[in-house]
Amino acid sequence: MKLSQYNTDCTYVADIVSSERITDESTAEVRHIILRVTDPAFQFIEGQSIAVLVPGPHAFGNKYHIRLYSIASSRMGEGTRGAELSICVRRCFYIDEVSGERYPGVASNFLCDQQPGDRIEIAGPYGRQFVTPRDETCNLLMIGVGTGIAPFRAFTKHIYGERGGWQGKVRLFYGARTGMDLLYMNDRNNDISSYYDEDSFKAFESLSPRPHFDEPAQVERSLKENAEEVWSMLQDSKTHAYISGLSSLEEQLDDALADIAGSPEAWVQLKKRMIKEGRWSTLFYE
Ligand code: FAD
């Protein structure tokens, strides 16, 4: 869906409660930002996103610069306070095609510069296609790179922290460039690692073989290392797969799964079947 198709007529005030850098200074800045929205009309569930409306003036006379962010909290909010939700924001830059100069991305820099006590305007929540099934015996296969981990933090908090457990297999395949880029699974913040003791949960990390090069994070290595389990889960009608992160992940993943399937045709067929059965949900962004 294009950004212009999201309805941002109904907005909410959000107070910045905290903003914590969850990567160290040697790598890209990613912040875990907690927002408080006191309007009771604002309700969300895991897997949804919000829009952040950055006030202008902006190019072409636009009143707002609008970008979407996945909610990283489960429906009960952060801590015991339901009115608080978190997002996980990477400070982005873009290269101007004409001048070749690097400029800060408007929305992500606006968010990363916010201080506790500041107020921002948000809209949403959006998206109902990225939801966990009610049946706790279903298997969940979560695959993500970079900030694509945000909805999976929400999922794991919900199924283990709020529902009290999950009987089906829960597998997280996560790609990052270096160990410090493993969001919510590093020394600064290890929210997801706290579920490692759950019997049904396993997390697999893929770190880049060439971390000093500016290559996109990869997830395919750990998928291939666990090919047998991944393939049998995908074929199982009780498995729901969730894919989240930059859109470049889609091609990487199709290649890896075609390899695991034995041929691109075999993978295309299974993917079609999973989409038809509502078992393949994606959340991609440019
Ligand atoms: P822009 O000028 O719009 O972009 C600057 C550059 O950053 C572009 O080259 C773009 O390709 C690149 N970029 C955008 N997002 C990322 C990213 N996450 N990691 C690496 N490079 C990126 N972003 C998050 O940080 N966290 C999220 O949880 C998140 N969830 C999203 C959910 C949805 C449904 C969508 C559509 C997008 C999501 N994004 C998320 C991306 C976000 O909406 C913005 O595109 C991003 O913050 C850049 O916006 P900007 O205005 O700062 O810069």
Side-chain angles (χ1 to χ4, degrees):
M1 195 156 120
K2 289 192 178 134
L3 257 181
S4 56
Q5 292 173 292
Y6 288 86
N7 184 346
T8 52
D9 292 345
C10 175
T11 65
Y12 300 90
V13 170
D15 292 309
I16 306 290
V17 176
S18 63
S19 172
E20 172 206 1
R21 183 169 177 155
I22 54 170
T23 51
D24 78 6
E25 283 64 26
S26 66
T27 190
E29 180 178 351
V30 180
R31 304 191 77 89
H32 178 69
I33 301 174
I34 300 183
L35 312 170
R36 182 183 300 123
V37 184
T38 47
D39 188 333
F42 182 84
Q43 299 287 334
F44 65 90
I45 59 167
E46 308 73 37
Q48 291 194 295
S49 309
I50 56 165
V52 169
L53 285 69
V54 184
H58 296 295
F60 311 113
N62 290 336
K63 188 172 174 202
Y64 293 114
H65 175 92
I66 300 175
R67 288 290 180 270
L68 299 183
Y69 294 90
S70 300
I71 297 173
S73 307
S74 52
R75 65 190 73 186
M76 301 297 279
E78 289 298 309
T80 51
R81 296 153 299 195
E84 293 180 2
L85 68 142
S86 63
I87 52 176
C88 166
V89 182
R90 177 184 165 121
R91 193 186 283 275
C92 291
F93 296 86
Y94 66 92
I95 309 287
D96 183 86
E97 282 176 16
V98 181
S99 66
E101 299 234 8
R102 193 173 98 125
Y103 292 102
V106 173
S108 59
N109 280 269
F110 168 81
L111 281 170
C112 288
D113 290 340
Q114 294 295 313
Q115 302 294 322
D118 289 346
R119 287 199 145 170
I120 62 169
E121 203 174 346
I122 67 165
Y126 307 106
R128 283 242 167 205
Q129 80 284 16
F130 220 72
V131 286
T132 48
R134 279 168 195 265
D135 179 356
E136 294 177 6
T137 63
C138 285
N139 306 311
L140 310 181
L141 182 64
M142 306 181 280
I143 303 173
V145 292
T147 53
I149 193 79
F152 302 143
R153 176 183 184 266
F155 280 12
T156 46
K157 272 187 166 295
H158 177 60
I159 63 177
Y160 294 118
E162 290 163 6
R163 292 180 64 154
W166 197 262
Q167 292 163 46
K169 287 182 185 177
V170 181
R171 300 290 180 265
L172 169 63
F173 288 89
Y174 182 47
R177 282 200 314 128
T178 69
M180 272 316 296
D181 292 299
L182 288 169
L183 308 176
Y184 301 116
M185 293 153 86
N186 65 31
D187 295 346
R188 291 253 177 134
N189 182 311
N190 61 4
D191 284 16
I192 291 183
S193 328
S194 56
Y195 301 113
Y196 283 1
D197 288 346
E198 296 283 345
D199 288 342
S200 57
F201 184 54
K202 274 192 198 159
F204 303 92
E205 301 147 9
S206 277
L207 301 183
S208 169
R210 305 200 307 163
H212 304 299
F213 291 78
D214 205 16
E215 289 179 349
Q218 303 175 349
V219 74
E220 58 266 40
R221 200 144 36 92
S222 52
L223 284 168
K224 285 182 187 169
E225 281 163 11
N226 295 279
E228 209 173 304
E229 182 175 44
V230 169
W231 186 237
S232 92
M233 280 182 80
L234 288 169
Q235 287 178 300
D236 185 341
S237 61
K238 294 201 87 169
T239 298
H240 292 249
Y242 304 88
I243 328 297
S244 167
L246 284 174
S247 49
S248 52
L249 171 62
E250 188 166 24
E251 199 181 323
Q252 283 176 26
L253 195 58
D254 280 334
D255 287 348
L257 293 174
D259 256 18
I260 292 174
S263 72
E265 295 73 31
W267 168 234
V268 167
Q269 264 190 6
L270 178 57
K271 187 174 171 183
K272 271 193 192 150
R273 197 172 90 211
M274 291 185 75
I275 293 172
K276 200 169 153 207
E277 293 170 357
R279 305 194 290 114
W280 182 261
S281 308
T282 57
L283 195 163
F284 288 127
Y285 38 95
E286 299 293 325

